[in-house]
Amino acid sequence: MTIAEIRGKISQTGQNLSERMEDLLTSDILGCMRYVPPQSALIPFLQTARSLHGNILMIPGKVLRVHWSFWPWLKLSGRIPCEPDVIIGLETEDNHIHLILIEAKYYSGLSSEENERAEPNDQLARELDNLDAVSTAALGWNPRLDIASRKLLFITQHMGMPRKLIAQSLAEYQRKRNKQGDIYWTSWRFLQPILEENLKQENSSQSIAVMKDMLQLVLRKGLSVFRGIDTITTRFNIPQFYIIPRRVYAWSMIPAPIRVTFKYEVRENGSK
């Protein structure tokens, strides 16, 4: 049973399954990451993220524990409620925790756009607004944890950053809250090389099994990256005629040329 089904994202009859494919993808991939060491999948995947302003999603030194909250309902004072896909808490030393709110898409676009309300309503702007005020207690975590940073990560299946979309979300947030924000982006496609490389170094049989399932899923969905053409190592058995072109051609069945001569005689009457 996936987390998407536990959280009611898929009906018991499966009738809304086609509408929830991104919820299922989020559940399968990020849900699996809970069962492998964070350094094997989660951390390197997060490190592929970049912001519209060119910032790298920095991961704190040593992650002691990862907290997860799938589809939390955030209803905070003075803000339009929202339900992000996941909020991850990276707990580090000195009781610090780093929040990463994740909004994941597969084929669909944003669920809401800017309107005339005073509060941000665009989906990413609304989530950025709630992220700014959420507490660990609201997520069901230890309230004594000190939030050291807050970041919003937008995951899509694109090969390149949807810059215009992110810029529109940031523009509404900055205009209505009068403060700067930043949105990070990465692609589901960047996970494939991470899994392939780390599978070579993983020793735990349980982690290997989970990571292989994750890799098989992203490949099945076509979420891969083009990494060039492999070097040809196999020799082709091509007939010699095609390898060394002939320079002399002969047609032995054609007979030797025949010389033809004509003899002219001039008669007395001038005829030939």
Side-chain angles (χ1 to χ4, degrees):
M1 180 181 294
T2 70
I3 300 174
E5 189 171 359
I6 295 173
R7 299 291 295 178
K9 293 297 177 177
I10 302 174
S11 67
Q12 292 182 353
T13 61
Q15 292 178 348
N16 67 338
L17 185 57
S18 60
E19 302 173 1
R20 295 298 186 178
M21 289 304 294
E22 62 192 29
D23 289 334
L24 189 59
L25 179 63
T26 301
S27 173
D28 288 341
I29 297 298
L30 297 180
C32 282
M33 288 185 181
R34 298 193 309 164
Y35 302 107
V36 298
Q39 293 77 14
S40 298
L42 175 63
I43 299 301
F45 182 56
L46 294 177
Q47 288 175 328
T48 64
R50 300 292 184 271
S51 78
L52 185 67
H53 298 149
N55 298 320
I56 300 174
L57 200 159
M58 300 297 295
I59 304 299
K62 184 177 181 181
V63 177
L64 304 178
R65 183 182 177 188
V66 180
H67 302 260
W68 301 82
S69 181
F70 285 85
W71 294 286
W73 178 247
L74 304 182
K75 188 177 181 180
L76 305 174
S77 177
R79 291 165 170 81
I80 301 175
C82 68
E83 187 183 46
D85 291 305
V86 190
I87 295 183
I88 297 173
L90 304 178
E91 184 178 342
T92 58
E93 297 176 346
D94 300 325
N95 226 32
H96 287 166
I97 190 167
H98 302 262
L99 301 186
I100 301 177
L101 183 151
I102 294 179
E103 181 57 44
K105 298 295 183 183
Y106 188 17
Y107 288 118
S108 65
L110 298 181
S111 62
S112 62
E113 300 177 350
E114 181 179 2
N115 59 18
E116 299 301 323
R117 294 188 58 165
E119 307 90 347
N121 188 66
D122 169 279
Q123 186 179 10
L124 294 179
R126 181 157 38 104
E127 290 174 341
L128 195 61
D129 195 30
N130 280 271
L131 176 62
D132 189 50
V134 72
S135 65
T136 54
L139 298 170
W141 303 341
N142 185 353
R144 291 190 294 272
L145 290 171
D146 180 25
I147 299 178
S149 65
R150 306 167 188 259
K151 295 180 174 65
L152 191 156
L153 175 59
F154 186 37
I155 306 177
T156 70
Q157 55 91 22
H158 299 94
M159 285 296 299
M161 180 187 295
R163 303 184 68 88
K164 183 178 180 181
L165 192 68
I166 294 175
Q168 290 174 347
S169 300
L170 284 175
E172 183 192 7
Y173 176 76
Q174 293 167 5
R175 183 168 54 254
K176 293 183 175 180
R177 290 306 186 196
N178 195 28
K179 63 168 62 175
Q180 292 289 326
D182 210 357
I183 296 176
Y184 294 80
W185 170 86
T186 191
S187 174
W188 290 116
R189 299 176 185 273
F190 300 160
L191 185 58
Q192 175 204 350
I194 293 173
L195 293 172
E196 290 177 339
E197 184 63 29
N198 288 348
L199 272 169
K200 301 175 184 177
Q201 308 170 19
E202 186 59 52
N203 296 319
S204 168
S205 58
Q206 177 179 339
S207 296
I208 290 174
V210 175
M211 293 168 67
K212 282 185 175 180
D213 286 347
M214 294 167 62
L215 179 59
Q216 185 177 359
L217 177 62
V218 296
L219 292 177
R220 181 178 178 81
K221 290 185 174 294
L223 297 172
S224 56
V225 294
F226 177 73
R227 291 182 289 176
I229 301 174
D230 294 336
T231 303
I232 298 176
T233 57
T234 304
R235 290 183 175 272
F236 295 95
N237 186 19
I238 301 177
Q240 188 71 16
F241 176 83
Y242 296 98
I243 299 176
I244 304 177
R246 297 186 179 186
R247 297 184 179 181
V248 178
Y249 296 87
W251 290 267
S252 57
M253 299 302 295
I254 298 178
I258 301 174
R259 182 179 297 276
V260 179
T261 59
F262 296 91
K263 184 177 182 181
Y264 294 86
E265 296 180 358
V266 179
R267 299 180 181 179
E268 292 181 358
N269 59 4
S271 62
K272 296 182 179 179

